[in-house]
Amino acid sequence: MSLHGRGKALRRNPDDGPSGTADGFGLPAATALVVGSVIGTGVFALPSALAPYGPIALVAFALVTIGALALAVTFGRLSERVPGSGGPYVYAREAFGEFAGFLTAWSYWITAWAGNAAIAVAWVGYVEVFVNKGHHTGGSIAIALAGLWVPAVVNLTGVRAVGAFQIVTTVLKFLPLAFMGTVGLLFVKSGNFGAFNASGTSALGAVSAAGAIALFSYIGLETASVAAGRVRDPRRNVPRATVYGTLACAAIYLLGTLAVFGTVPHARLGSSTAPFTDAVNTVAGGHWAGDLVAAAAIVSGIGALNGWTLICAEMPMAAARDGLFPSAFTKVRGRAGVPAFGILSATVLASVLTVVSYTRFTQVFTGIVLLSVLTAAVPYLVAAAAQLLWLVQHGREELDRRRLVRDTAVAVAALAFCYWSIQGSGYQTVYYGLFTILLGIPAYIWLKRPRTRTAGTGAPTGTPHTGTAQAGRGEPLPAAARGARRAGLPALLRRALTPRHQH
């Protein structure tokens, strides 16, 4: 089936949820999903992490932003042809086959729930500005688990609640960050920036190292395409939401980080645990403002967890419908088609990882973040490659020369950015990340194992349920299934009573 046809098949699936109805995400909610998923708690610590490199880190941030925008446009173009849910998984499967689709879905699924664990652990630090100020381990774990399960409950109530919750949390966290990125610029002093390249390494080395940190910021820009089956008018709204959301995040990141660099002295910024708090206190002239920033970080984290909890279920559900993930992920509940199993299983896994992280906080937390970046970069790379392949095969026939050149340049930039992101993750992370991704191969073998036939039906047990070849979709059933339907009751009874070796 063509890429275009596959997108229509996925979109028509009644289990895909309320796409095209009043219950789906509109453009504001879809954009909020992107912004809410991208801007989590990491943005509030980012200036301190970049401070050791000096203002040259802003150059790296700008380059990362260009790469992120190239990816956003690429995902937008792909979603125009494939408006159904699944995002990178759908693109990889159509372009490179089901095994590539499976590994993409597997890698992205790990990114989603492991990233939730990382967000939850970072989120606890801001909550403890107000409660559990002694940082008792038991209290910290309880707070983290609450941060994971509250968004899960919101998601279980349905898409409409998720969209409303995402808009509210995005607005609340966007305002203080926008304040720092606008009003804060008025308080910038050149003496606070320090040496342009404070890393002691070459300019290229400093840009690469700082870029490896900055790229953490943009994971989640593809979330509108992953949940496209739940977006109203996805061909129009998903590309716009992806680009608009990424642009909004880029503006907040660049201007906000610039303001913090210019308002907090460089010597103090590197050791700050709450750089935005220090910057806002400088602007406002008091410590009360720091509590507002902590509150914004809390809202930011819970909003990011809300969006990622939905994404944890959407991609495996699309893969499960094609027989490439366990069929339990296809189970939905309610009129809104809430993927309850996917939400609950991902939240349980994130909860376990969060509890474990508190036994070795620094090592485990850092490892989780780096692993999440690597496992996200692989689906990004495959999606960019899928777009480039389509352009090579069909671009001249379906696009004018100007559009073809533009889209090819964007896809190549996105592909190069993905390679740079993987390289910037470090050798150890690539080693462990590759091992984690390849652990999916035994799962794939299990899913594709020969199926035994159930007595009385003649149908294979656990036959993969494909999202593009189902009864009622206008496509013929396999020969074995057609034969099973023609069998009458006597034949079925005879099969059930005959020993298996005589069948």
Side-chain angles (χ1 to χ4, degrees):
M1 183 179 290
S2 69
L3 191 63
H4 181 71
R6 180 176 177 80
K8 291 194 290 186
L10 280 170
R11 185 174 54 174
R12 285 198 304 265
N13 192 327
D15 291 336
D16 266 344
S19 177
T21 72
D23 290 332
F25 293 152
L27 178 60
T31 304
L33 178 64
V34 174
V35 175
S37 299
V38 172
I39 299 180
T41 52
V43 63
F44 293 94
L46 195 62
S48 292
L50 296 175
Y53 303 97
I56 197 173
L58 297 173
V59 176
F61 215 152
L63 292 175
V64 169
T65 299
I66 293 171
L69 288 172
L71 273 175
V73 174
T74 298
F75 276 110
R77 293 284 186 259
L78 286 165
S79 67
E80 289 175 354
R81 296 195 297 275
V82 189
S85 291
Y89 156 71
V90 177
Y91 315 144
R93 188 181 192 277
E94 185 63 33
F96 305 113
E98 65 175 25
F99 182 64
F102 167 78
L103 284 183
T104 299
W106 176 268
S107 182
Y108 194 88
W109 182 61
I110 294 171
T111 297
W113 61 260
N116 274 2
I119 293 172
V121 172
W123 181 74
V124 168
Y126 294 98
V127 176
E128 290 182 341
V129 171
F130 304 101
V131 298
N132 193 37
K133 296 181 179 180
H135 308 292
H136 301 293
T137 301
S140 297
I141 291 175
I143 294 169
L145 293 179
L148 288 169
W149 283 97
V150 168
V153 171
V154 172
N155 273 269
L156 289 171
T157 61
V159 172
R160 182 177 293 177
V162 174
F165 186 83
Q166 200 66 25
I167 290 176
V168 171
T169 56
T170 298
V171 170
L172 289 177
K173 71 182 175 183
F174 203 82
L175 288 176
L177 293 173
F179 171 82
M180 197 61 214
T182 53
V183 177
L185 293 174
L186 301 176
F187 294 83
V188 167
K189 296 180 180 178
S190 60
N192 290 329
F193 285 101
F196 180 71
N197 181 3
S199 66
T201 63
S202 66
L204 181 60
V207 168
S208 297
I213 297 173
L215 66 89
F216 297 163
S217 316
Y218 288 104
I219 292 181
L221 61 88
E222 74 292 338
T223 48
S225 70
V226 176
R230 301 181 180 276
V231 177
R232 295 196 297 272
D233 191 8
R235 290 181 183 276
R236 182 169 181 263
N237 285 335
V238 169
R240 294 167 68 197
T242 302
V243 174
Y244 293 168
T246 304
L247 283 172
C249 294
I252 284 293
Y253 283 154
L254 290 171
L255 295 177
T257 304
L258 174 63
V260 173
F261 264 69
T263 53
V264 180
H266 181 263
R268 186 155 61 97
L269 182 60
S271 59
S272 174
T273 58
F276 270 86
T277 296
D278 293 341
V280 171
N281 283 337
T282 299
V283 172
H287 292 285
W288 59 270
D291 290 342
L292 292 179
V293 173
I298 293 171
V299 173
S300 179
I302 205 71
L305 287 167
N306 180 64
W308 276 106
T309 298
L310 174 65
I311 298 307
C312 282
E314 287 292 327
M315 183 174 288
M317 181 168 64
R321 286 180 179 148
D322 288 330
L324 298 180
F325 248 64
S327 59
F329 284 93
T330 64
K331 297 179 179 178
V332 296
R333 58 179 290 272
R335 179 172 175 269
V338 177
F341 179 82
I343 291 171
L344 292 174
S345 60
T347 306
V348 168
L349 287 169
S351 298
V352 172
L353 191 57
T354 299
V355 172
V356 170
S357 74
Y358 274 96
T359 62
R360 296 168 58 213
F361 175 85
T362 302
Q363 296 86 348
V364 174
F365 177 73
T366 302
I368 291 172
V369 170
L370 290 173
L371 179 64
S372 298
V373 169
L374 178 68
T375 54
V378 171
Y380 291 172
L381 187 150
V382 176
Q387 168 71 349
L388 197 57
L389 178 65
W390 185 89
L391 290 169
V392 170
Q393 292 180 336
H394 307 290
R396 291 185 178 181
E397 303 162 3
E398 302 195 21
L399 302 176
D400 61 68
R401 183 179 179 84
R402 187 174 182 179
R403 171 76 177 270
L404 176 61
V405 171
R406 184 173 66 247
D407 284 3
T408 301
V410 170
V412 169
L415 196 66
F417 173 68
C418 292
Y419 280 117
W420 186 49
S421 299
I422 293 172
Q423 178 272 333
S425 299
Y427 295 110
Q428 187 176 29
T429 301
V430 171
Y431 171 81
Y432 286 113
L434 179 62
F435 181 78
T436 302
I437 292 171
L438 294 181
L439 282 177
I441 293 178
Y444 179 80
I445 294 171
W446 178 80
L447 288 166
K448 305 301 289 185
R449 71 194 186 282
R451 310 302 175 117
T452 58
R453 294 181 179 274
T454 56
T457 64
T461 60
T463 300
H465 175 74
T466 60
T468 57
Q470 303 175 39
R473 293 270 187 103
E475 298 192 19
L477 289 166
R482 294 198 299 271
R485 281 192 172 185
R486 289 195 296 267
L489 180 60
L492 296 177
L493 291 175
R494 187 166 58 253
R495 288 180 185 176
L497 296 174
T498 302
R500 183 174 297 276
H501 67 275
Q502 297 181 16
H503 282 175

